[in-house]
Amino acid sequence: MTVSTAAKIAYDDVEVGTELPAQTFNVTRATLVQYAGASGDFNPIHWNEKFAKEVGLPDVIAHGMFTMAEAIRVVTDWVGDPGAVVEYGVRFTKPVVVPNDDKGAVIEVSGKVAAKLDDNRVRVDLTATSGGQKVLGMSRAVVQLA
Ligand SMILES: CC(=O)OP(=O)(O)O
């Protein structure tokens, strides 16, 4: 299901290879505590440094679902329609390590149109990196355009 409202990007104005405006966002430890409360995912790898290190992680890591949700904003901001994403899948390739400072983890997200589909839809492939590592792989969304 999609709840499409007001896409500002027209299918006819987009080509395979069209690049979306890239975005950078920060994830802090405070954000992770808020996300844990909202989602109910209280896995201590997301907020307890000692626990995270005991299970072999370099430090506290961001919730995968949160990273995924933040990354897709590159698409919805581009289209101008929060309901434009019809399908979305990712592979979690590396953890997003969140240091205990004001900046937290910095995640850079870019995207480009990879295919034009039927019904004014396109496939967008996304790349998300943090600390020089690709954190989301195979990240692709089917997007409804005007
Ligand atoms: C990969 C994944 O779903 O991670 P999380 O449960 O932390 O959101």
Side-chain angles (χ1 to χ4, degrees), residues 24-36:
T24 298
F25 62 92
N26 294 64
V27 181
T28 65
R29 298 266 180 107
T31 312
L32 295 185
V33 171
Q34 290 168 340
Y35 183 79

Side-chain angles (χ1 to χ4, degrees), residues 68-136:
M68 185 179 173
E70 289 290 282
I72 200 68
R73 246 195 292 144
V74 164
V75 174
T76 53
D77 285 357
W78 172 62
V79 182
D81 178 357
V85 177
V86 178
E87 290 176 29
Y88 181 29
V90 305
R91 183 167 294 167
F92 300 101
T93 47
K94 292 279 181 194
V96 174
V97 180
V98 182
N100 191 16
D101 58 26
D102 289 345
K103 198 168 90 171
V106 180
I107 302 177
E108 291 158 0
V109 184
S110 59
K112 70 176 175 193
V113 174
K116 295 188 80 170
L117 311 174
D118 293 339
D119 301 326
N120 285 9
R121 292 175 176 185
V122 295
R123 196 186 92 219
V124 171
D125 287 356
L126 296 168
T127 301
T129 59
S130 185
Q133 305 255 43
K134 187 183 275 197
V135 293
L136 298 180

Side-chain angles (χ1 to χ4, degrees), residues 35 41 43 45-46 61-67 92:
Y35 183 79
D41 181 346
N43 187 333
I45 60 173
H46 302 308
I61 64 167
H63 300 77
M65 301 305 276
F66 178 69
T67 303
F92 300 101

